[in-house]
Amino acid sequence: MKLENAIRECFEYCFNTPVHSDRNVFSALMNSLPAGYRFYYPLQVSWKLTSSCNLRCSHCFYYTEKDRFFNSSADLTKDEAMQIITNLIDDVNIMAVSLTGGEILLCPYFWELLKFIKSKNVCVNLITNGTLIDKKIAAKLSSILNFKYDSIQISLDGASASVHDSIRGQGSFEKTCTALKILTDFNIPVRIATAVTKKNVFQLGEFGDFCKKFKIKEIALNRYKIVSDEQQYLMPETEDLFKGYALLLENLDRTRLDKNFFYVYDFLKYEYGRFLFDTENPPAKFGKDKLCHSHSKFHLASDGKIYLCTSAECAGLCLGDLRKNSFDEIWQGRFSNPLFKQRLIKNLPCSECRYEKWCRCGCAVESVCRNGIPDAPTEECCFVKGSKEYDFKT
């Protein structure tokens, strides 16, 4: 596929295709909110239930700090975890919980916690590598979860054993495919998630056939982020991202693919991408909010510390520790964390860029780590490179 055609396909899908309100239980609500809306308390929590994992994936956030992140000695005890989830549901009124890891099925109190959450009619998303799922586990999940609202996400990093196993370890592809087959036999809907790297970007077009084979309802492509120089070799080229994503669009039901995979500056690296932004108008509400959240969610680490997201955990941008303070105390003090300060466009070099109306200024965590403040574009932004080729000043 020619690069220009791929860029056009990706542009049309990401910016001009209507968002489907039935993607999850919160979509209609979030899409109806006015620009700049802020929740007083969060609706969702992503909980890294345990640091234990049976795999050592080469692209993992925690791969380069194995002793720290794969050590479960600091994990919350069952009593601590049950106290926290009771408070979040009964007092904070959390509506949805994503349980992730590590590998959630290695948490010693996983089943007790899951049953408690569902007894409170809270939505659940389970994120697992799938290698430990058998018929017994699938039967238990089928009896506990409500698949009108709940979901299971399986990590898959290749449409073939050679690619997937090169990232996750020998034999993991076969185990994951077995889990998908078992879950399908139990009529359990599954979403797969893929971290797009240099190893699998050329296989994205094949994921459509894979999804059809296993009756996958949705695929989530995750933008790969490097934590250390050791993982630099996994970073794909932007041109390959466009071509791979476009091929996947051709072979996949378009209601099943995330729209937030690309950054605006990905398009601006190319003359044809700049042409599209010059000749099109941004969708309603697009680019109004430079934050990546509406104070509606947070990430809970396995040791009880709270962050905005997994990237913030890796960067050490902690909001507070539930072993030391109540959630209410931590949440009320969140504005001391740079990631919860509004990104003001007037403070950004972006205020002089003619593409500012399209751009969300990239990842705030990356901006804070590189510049100390969220009010700065990320390194990949073409504007701050300072070359004549990327001079976007009006």
Side-chain angles (χ1 to χ4, degrees), residues 57-332:
C57 306
S58 58
H59 63 7
C60 182
F61 278 107
Y62 314 131
Y63 180 77
T64 58
E65 298 189 60
K66 302 177 185 66
D67 292 340
R68 175 186 172 195
F69 287 110
F70 292 123
N71 184 349
S72 61
S73 61
D75 286 1
L76 295 168
T77 66
K78 183 181 76 171
D79 289 343
E80 288 174 326
M82 296 304 293
Q83 181 178 357
I84 287 172
I85 194 61
T86 300
N87 171 249
L88 291 178
I89 294 175
D90 291 348
D91 300 326
V92 182
N93 294 316
I94 288 292
M95 297 174 62
V97 179
S98 290
L99 297 179
T100 183
E103 171 51 49
I104 56 175
L105 293 174
L106 293 178
C107 176
Y109 50 82
F110 167 74
W111 293 108
E112 185 173 347
L113 182 73
L114 179 62
K115 289 177 181 178
F116 175 78
I117 294 172
K118 291 311 303 174
S119 74
K120 298 286 188 175
N121 295 317
V122 171
C123 298
V124 171
N125 177 37
L126 303 180
I127 302 175
T128 170
N129 60 46
T131 59
L132 302 178
I133 293 177
D134 55 21
K135 291 183 179 180
K136 182 178 179 181
I137 288 176
K140 290 180 70 173
L141 292 173
S142 182
S143 67
I144 297 171
L145 300 178
N146 179 345
F147 291 109
K148 184 177 181 180
Y149 305 107
D150 302 327
S151 59
I152 295 178
Q153 178 174 300
I154 303 289
S155 300
L156 186 80
D157 290 308
S160 66
S162 60
V163 175
H164 181 87
D165 289 0
S166 70
I167 296 171
R168 292 187 170 263
Q170 190 67 30
S172 57
F173 181 78
E174 182 179 354
K175 292 177 182 178
T176 298
C177 289
T178 298
L180 292 172
K181 177 64 167 58
I182 291 172
L183 293 172
T184 299
D185 289 344
F186 276 86
N187 295 315
I188 296 176
V190 179
R191 172 175 61 194
I192 61 173
T194 301
V196 183
T197 67
K198 199 165 190 174
K199 288 191 173 185
N200 61 25
V201 65
F202 297 103
Q203 273 202 330
L204 291 184
E206 300 174 35
F207 273 74
D209 290 334
F210 187 93
C211 289
K212 293 170 186 174
K213 177 181 177 181
F214 289 99
K215 301 179 182 179
I216 303 299
K217 299 298 183 182
E218 183 179 356
I219 179 171
L221 295 185
N222 298 315
R223 191 64 174 260
Y224 181 60
K225 292 187 178 181
I226 296 173
V227 177
S228 73
D229 292 339
E230 184 181 341
Q231 297 172 314
Q232 183 69 44
Y233 75 99
L234 289 169
M235 180 60 70
E237 299 294 331
T238 306
E239 179 176 339
D240 296 331
L241 293 177
F242 278 121
K243 291 180 178 179
Y245 193 95
L247 286 173
L248 181 55
L249 286 175
E250 289 183 354
N251 201 26
L252 190 70
D253 182 345
R254 295 193 175 195
T255 64
R256 299 176 175 178
L257 191 59
D258 288 341
K259 294 175 175 291
N260 297 322
F261 181 76
F262 288 103
Y263 296 118
V264 167
Y265 51 69
D266 291 325
F267 293 90
L268 298 181
K269 291 177 182 177
Y270 303 95
E271 181 180 356
Y272 186 67
R274 298 194 290 275
F275 166 77
L276 292 174
F277 285 107
D278 285 333
T279 56
E280 300 278 350
N281 292 316
K285 295 187 179 181
F286 190 84
K288 300 295 185 183
D289 186 0
K290 302 303 176 186
L291 293 172
C292 61
H293 59 92
S294 299
H295 297 216
S296 60
K297 57 187 178 182
F298 67 95
H299 170 70
L300 175 59
S302 59
D303 60 0
K305 291 185 175 66
I306 290 179
Y307 302 85
L308 173 62
C309 59
T310 303
S311 295
E313 180 189 2
C314 293
L317 298 171
C318 182
L319 291 171
D321 189 340
L322 286 175
R323 280 173 161 158
K324 298 177 180 179
N325 299 99
S326 69
F327 179 83
D328 188 67
E329 291 173 322
I330 294 171
W331 194 249
Q332 295 306 320

